[in-house]
């Protein structure tokens, strides 16, 4: 079987998505900044799911480390068929526009754009050899509607969205799907639309059946 790789794997959405894809027979590559935590998560999911699971440490603001982690995943597990880019934005990206500095914007763009480009570039050759694949971008509501209270993510998610849309147009003829999920207001355990398990099912459908570039976890009300 091929591999489902998550850049930004954690114990809420990342773990729920890992379980959903493992149920379909995918092996799992989990990538996160904290090596100890991602290794522990990989061990727990391996015990729970019975598939091969590996954890890799990488900082999405260091695009070389992202590429290296994905390269190791391919060597360890095999070709990556599905890539999910869903790192959780840092708090300094959520400042009001009048308080956000050049350095804040630069960090947010490294996080959301350069990291995403590095990850996609690393896996695309393998997907094109397979003749299929999915690249799944997970974003908050500011990727669709600018919010001056959250300037860093608004600007950085705009760049990430533009990149994703360009990939979508370029790769659709090659049977490689590029999809974006918008989660207004963020993940909420227990919420009927934004619980991790519910979102994981949506993300699986984005890979398996969706024909639209963008999906909303729920209707935007702002």
């Amino acid at each position: 079987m091929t591999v489902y790789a998550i850049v930004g794997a954690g114990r809420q959405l990342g773990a729920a998505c890992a379980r959903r894809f493992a149920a379909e027979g995918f092996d799992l590559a989990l990538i996160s900044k904290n090596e100890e935590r991602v290794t522990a998560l990989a061990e727990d999911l391996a015990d729970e799911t019975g598939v091969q699971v590996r954890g890799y440490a990488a900082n999405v603001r260091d695009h070389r480390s992202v590429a290296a982690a994905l390269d190791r995943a391919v060597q360890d597990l095999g070709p990556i068929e599905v890539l999910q880019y869903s790192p959780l934005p840092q708090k300094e990206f959520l400042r009001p526009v009048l308080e956000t500095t050049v350095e804040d914007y630069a960090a947010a763009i490294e996080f959301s754009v350069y990291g995403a480009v590095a990850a996609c570039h690393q896996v695309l050759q393998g997907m094109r050899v397979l003749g299929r694949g999915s690249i799944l971008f997970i974003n908050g509501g500011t990727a669709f509607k600018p919010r001056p209270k959250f300037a860093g993510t608004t600007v950085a998610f705009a760049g990430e969205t533009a990149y994703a849309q360009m990939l979508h147009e370029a790769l659709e003829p090659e049977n490689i799907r590029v999809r974006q999920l918008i989660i207004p207001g963020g993940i909420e355990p227990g919420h009927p639309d934004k619980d991790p398990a519910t979102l994981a099912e949506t993300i699986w459908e984005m890979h398996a059946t969706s024909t639209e570039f963008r999906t909303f976890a729920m209707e935007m009300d702002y």
Side-chain angles (χ1 to χ4, degrees):
M1 190 61 183
T2 51
V3 177
Y4 167 63
I6 309 173
V7 178
R11 288 193 174 269
Q12 289 200 50
L13 181 61
C17 290
R19 293 185 188 99
R20 183 64 184 88
F21 278 78
E24 302 292 338
F26 281 83
D27 291 326
L28 308 173
L30 312 178
I31 299 169
S32 187
K33 185 176 179 179
N34 187 297
E35 183 171 9
E36 182 178 349
R37 290 178 185 174
V38 78
T39 299
L41 178 59
E43 291 173 352
D44 290 346
L45 287 170
D47 291 341
E48 180 182 340
T49 64
V51 302
Q52 293 190 83
V53 189
R54 298 286 187 278
Y56 305 91
N59 184 344
V60 294
R61 290 182 58 190
D62 176 1
H63 64 272
R64 292 179 180 84
S65 75
V66 174
L70 289 165
D71 181 60
R72 291 196 303 274
V74 171
Q75 293 178 36
D76 292 342
L77 298 170
I80 293 171
E81 182 178 347
V82 183
L83 171 70
Q84 178 173 314
Y85 193 81
S86 54
L88 188 65
Q90 298 169 206
K91 290 181 179 179
E92 57 264 36
F93 305 160
L94 305 176
R95 294 172 179 159
V97 63
L98 298 181
E99 298 175 15
T100 302
T101 67
V102 170
E103 289 77 15
D104 293 333
Y105 284 121
I109 290 168
E110 287 175 349
F111 190 93
S112 293
V113 180
Y114 298 165
V117 172
C120 294
H121 183 78
Q122 186 64 33
V123 303
L124 270 174
Q125 182 177 355
M127 289 182 181
R128 296 173 95 175
V129 170
L130 279 175
R132 65 184 188 276
S134 293
I135 299 174
L136 310 174
F137 292 86
I138 314 302
N139 296 108
T142 54
F144 183 74
K145 183 181 177 77
R147 294 197 70 187
K149 289 184 178 180
F150 306 127
T153 57
T154 292
V155 170
F157 281 173
E160 184 179 337
T161 296
Y163 176 62
Q165 288 179 313
M166 290 188 293
L167 285 180
H168 165 66
E169 294 174 10
L171 293 170
E172 196 79 0
E174 298 187 37
N175 197 34
I176 298 173
R177 295 172 171 170
V178 181
R179 304 288 186 258
Q180 181 186 49
L181 174 63
I182 303 292
I183 307 174
I187 300 160
E188 294 183 33
H191 190 282
D193 300 310
K194 300 191 293 181
D195 181 81
T198 303
L199 294 170
E201 184 63 35
T202 299
I203 289 167
W204 166 255
E205 292 170 0
M206 287 164 57
H207 160 67
T209 63
S210 173
T211 59
E212 300 296 325
F213 166 68
R214 180 178 289 124
T215 297
F216 291 88
M218 60 179 291
E219 185 176 348
M220 301 246 328
D221 59 0
Y222 61 83

